[in-house]
């Protein structure tokens, strides 16, 4: 039960499902925060393991921890339920298998206050084999401390993570923000809406979050070869692009479609050689729907090989797409380069006739050659 307590400065919602091995380290990282005016709302999402018992043990020893036990509804529903029970003036989220750095909340609250921003986003590292691994694209997006609007820095829409952010609670409620439920990749549509509605977004260059990358095959990002995963991915991408288009700023829409929306497509393309007919058809349909003839993947920010594969997907050329991926896997290096008559360079794939491929799908950009 949730009793009446002093209003905390920050509430952090921690959904927990089948992560008993990681939950104690996560809660320890929160309770060790330099900012102590804190409420931690653990949502036991019908977990089949000891998550609920672990959370109750922490609540029994630290009054800042509260526990909700709910039927399993998925990550989005657990976050929404936790948010409904959170009382802090600021609202944050943390996945139960990850860690917050010791000054994370202090730094984000300070930025929100100093810059009068309802939304704060901080830098992230991947946590692999108990060591941090920098992500250059996140370093670039969070290089400078200050306040920006999404119209000024539309590439920030690529930072779709829920858990490296802090939201002013009154603004979160007034903006009607929630996490989509019963969908994977719920972060992207929700954070996209938040960015578009925020006006001012505070940037914190320091690393505030350690994103644990698990290699046990259980994480969502390791299940991209399934119909369920790809279906949800197309749904959330369509939700996000619909919000961006409704925002009505052409430069933001263009940046989102060309530099943000295709960002993870290469991970799907890698499944092509082993995919089912149904998965391939779903991939082709989604690529054509989101990029189509007027927004071909040949014009986006993917690496050269994946621009080529994207074009082959658009053309429904499954054998050729699988051939390119298989060859690249075997090669273990960038595709060979071939000079073009009259200047320029294109990629080369033995067994793929360049005369049957659109020149823009093969040609390298100046900085790539």
């Amino acid at each position: 039960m949730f009793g009446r307590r002093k209003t905390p400065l920050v509430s952090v919602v921690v959904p927990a499902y089948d992560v008993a091995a990681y939950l104690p380290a996560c809660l320890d990282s929160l309770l060790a925060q330099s900012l102590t005016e804190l409420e931690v709302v653990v949502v036991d999402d019908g977990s089949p393991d000891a998550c609920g018992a672990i959370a109750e043990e922490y609540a029994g020893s630290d009054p800042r921890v509260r526990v909700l036990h709910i039927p399993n509804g998925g990550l989005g529903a657990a976050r929404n339920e936790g948010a409904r029970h959170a009382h802090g003036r600021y609202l944050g989220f943390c996945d139960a298998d990850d860690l917050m750095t010791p000054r994370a909340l202090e730094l984000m609250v300070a930025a929100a206050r100093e810059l009068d921003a309802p939304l704060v986003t901080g830098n992230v590292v991947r946590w692999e084999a108990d060591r941090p691994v920098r992500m250059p694209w996140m370093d670039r997006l969070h290089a400078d401390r200050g306040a920006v609007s999404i119209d000024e820095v539309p590439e920030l829409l690529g930072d779709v993570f829920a858990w490296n952010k802090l939201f002013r609670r009154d603004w979160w409620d007034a903006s009607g923000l929630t996490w989509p439920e019963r969908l994977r990749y719920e972060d992207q549509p929700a954070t996209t809406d938040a960015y578009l509605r925020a006006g001012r977004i505070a940037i914190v260059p320091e690393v505030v979050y350690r994103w644990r990358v698990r290699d046990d095959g259980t994480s969502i990002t390791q299940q991209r070869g399934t119909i369920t995963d790809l279906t949800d991915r197309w749904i959330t991408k369509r939700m996000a692009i619909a919000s961006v288009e409704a925002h009505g700023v052409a430069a933001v829409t263009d940046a989102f479609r060309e530099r943000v929306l295709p960002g993870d497509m290469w991970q799907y393309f890698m499944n092509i050689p082993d995919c089912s007919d149904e998965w391939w058809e779903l991939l082709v349909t989604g690529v054509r729907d989101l990029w189509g003839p007027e927004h071909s993947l040949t014009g986006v920010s993917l690496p050269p090989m994946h621009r080529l594969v994207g074009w082959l997907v658009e053309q429904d050329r499954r054998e050729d797409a699988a051939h390119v991926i298989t060859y690249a896997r075997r090669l273990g290096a960038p595709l060979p380069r071939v000079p073009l008559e009259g200047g320029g360079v294109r990629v080369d794939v033995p067994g793929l006739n360049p005369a049957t491929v659109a020149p823009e799908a093969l040609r390298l950009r100046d900085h790539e050659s």
Side-chain angles (χ1 to χ4, degrees), residues 37-157:
E37 299 174 68
L38 173 67
E39 171 188 63
V40 178
V41 182
V42 183
V43 184
D44 168 20
D45 186 25
S47 184
D49 64 3
C51 282
I54 291 169
E56 289 289 359
E57 184 177 344
Y58 271 81
S61 61
D62 194 317
R64 295 175 296 171
V65 179
R66 299 180 171 197
V67 185
L68 291 172
H69 301 278
I70 64 173
N72 178 250
L75 182 57
R79 285 177 178 163
N80 289 335
E81 186 65 16
R84 279 190 283 272
H85 289 84
H87 299 101
R89 295 196 289 276
Y90 292 92
L91 178 64
F93 299 88
C94 184
D95 283 0
D97 52 354
D98 296 335
L99 306 167
M100 277 194 172
T101 57
R103 297 184 62 220
L105 297 177
E106 175 192 346
L107 290 167
M108 289 194 286
V109 168
R113 289 171 162 173
E114 175 188 349
L115 300 167
D116 190 25
L119 168 59
V120 183
T121 181
N123 205 350
V124 174
V125 292
R126 291 164 62 95
W127 197 248
E128 300 181 13
D130 291 326
R131 65 182 183 88
V133 177
R134 305 294 300 209
M135 295 190 288
W137 65 276
M138 283 292 284
D139 289 343
R140 186 174 64 253
L141 288 176
H142 296 81
D144 300 315
R145 188 184 313 275
V148 300
S149 73
I150 210 63
D151 294 354
E152 295 169 327
V153 190
E155 292 83 359
L156 194 58
L157 288 163

Side-chain angles (χ1 to χ4, degrees), residues 309-320:
V309 174
W311 183 85
L312 292 168
V313 172
E314 292 170 19
Q315 307 305 309
D316 197 11
R317 288 172 56 172
R318 179 177 178 176
E319 275 190 36
D320 287 332

Side-chain angles (χ1 to χ4, degrees), residues 143-204:
D144 300 315
R145 188 184 313 275
V148 300
S149 73
I150 210 63
D151 294 354
E152 295 169 327
V153 190
E155 292 83 359
L156 194 58
L157 288 163
D159 170 13
V160 300
F161 306 123
W163 23 249
N164 61 327
K165 296 175 178 61
L166 197 66
F167 307 89
R168 201 179 67 222
R169 181 57 191 263
D170 61 349
W171 172 80
W172 172 273
D173 291 339
S175 299
L177 293 169
T178 60
W179 303 99
E181 299 186 7
R182 296 291 182 183
L183 278 175
R184 307 179 188 208
Y185 307 107
E186 65 288 306
D187 287 14
Q188 183 162 38
T191 57
T192 297
D193 285 344
Y195 283 131
L196 295 171
R197 298 173 190 179
R200 290 171 64 81
I201 304 154
I203 306 295
V204 172

Side-chain angles (χ1 to χ4, degrees), residues 282-318:
L282 184 61
L283 180 70
V284 172
T285 300
V287 165
R288 287 177 170 177
D289 179 46
L290 285 175
W291 287 280
E294 68 278 14
H295 299 290
S296 171
L297 283 170
T298 59
V300 305
S301 60
L302 290 174
M305 182 187 81
H306 296 293
R307 295 201 302 269
L308 169 59
V309 174
W311 183 85
L312 292 168
V313 172
E314 292 170 19
Q315 307 305 309
D316 197 11
R317 288 172 56 172
R318 179 177 178 176

